[in-house]
């Protein structure tokens, strides 16, 4: 066994040990990938809704929007709730 094979085996053993110990996290997409996030529309508030209701008979400005953003570790807990891999999946949550 040469030095490279030994290092590869050792690294693989380290990964297996970490996985067994529950120390590895499987990400739904690579970090920095474009994902779609459902968030509050900064242009909407209750005053806008009331004014549109008075003027148009209905609220036209959506209170939530879908926007593209880069995936970060902080988004893991919102995955499938407010963060999605495609725009179509995110729009279903509006």
């Amino acid at each position: 066994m040469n030095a490279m094979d030994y290092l590869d085996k050792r690294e693989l053993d380290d990964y297996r040990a970490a996985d067994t110990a529950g120390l590895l996290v499987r990400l739904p997409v690579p970090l920095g990938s474009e994902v779609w996030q459902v968030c509050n529309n900064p242009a909407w508030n209750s005053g806008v809704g009331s004014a549109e209701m008075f003027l148009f008979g209905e609220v036209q400005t959506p209170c939530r929007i879908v926007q593209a953003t880069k995936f970060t570790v902080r988004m893991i807990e919102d995955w499938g709730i407010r963060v999605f891999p495609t725009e179509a999946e995110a729009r279903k949550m509006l």
Side-chain angles (χ1 to χ4, degrees):
M1 176 182 290
N2 65 32
M4 188 58 118
D5 289 339
Y6 174 75
L7 291 176
D8 288 344
K9 182 182 178 334
R10 185 172 169 203
E11 184 177 13
L12 182 58
D13 289 343
D14 289 345
Y15 276 113
R16 285 182 178 151
D19 189 30
T20 302
L23 300 175
L24 298 182
V25 176
R26 297 189 193 279
L27 300 176
V29 295
L31 290 174
S33 296
E34 182 176 79
V35 294
W36 296 86
Q37 186 172 29
V38 177
C39 55
N40 292 330
N41 185 351
W44 190 90
N45 63 47
S46 60
V48 169
S50 297
E52 288 179 349
M53 186 63 95
F54 175 76
L55 294 171
F56 309 116
E58 65 181 5
V59 177
Q60 296 181 350
T61 303
C63 61
R64 296 188 320 165
I65 59 172
V66 172
Q67 66 181 18
T69 189
K70 300 292 182 190
F71 182 74
T72 65
V73 173
R74 291 183 181 167
M75 295 176 174
I76 291 173
E77 65 186 46
D78 288 335
W79 189 258
I81 300 167
R82 286 187 287 267
V83 180
F84 301 89
T86 66
E87 183 178 8
E89 288 180 71
R91 291 209 176 273
K92 289 178 189 176
M93 297 305 293
L94 291 179

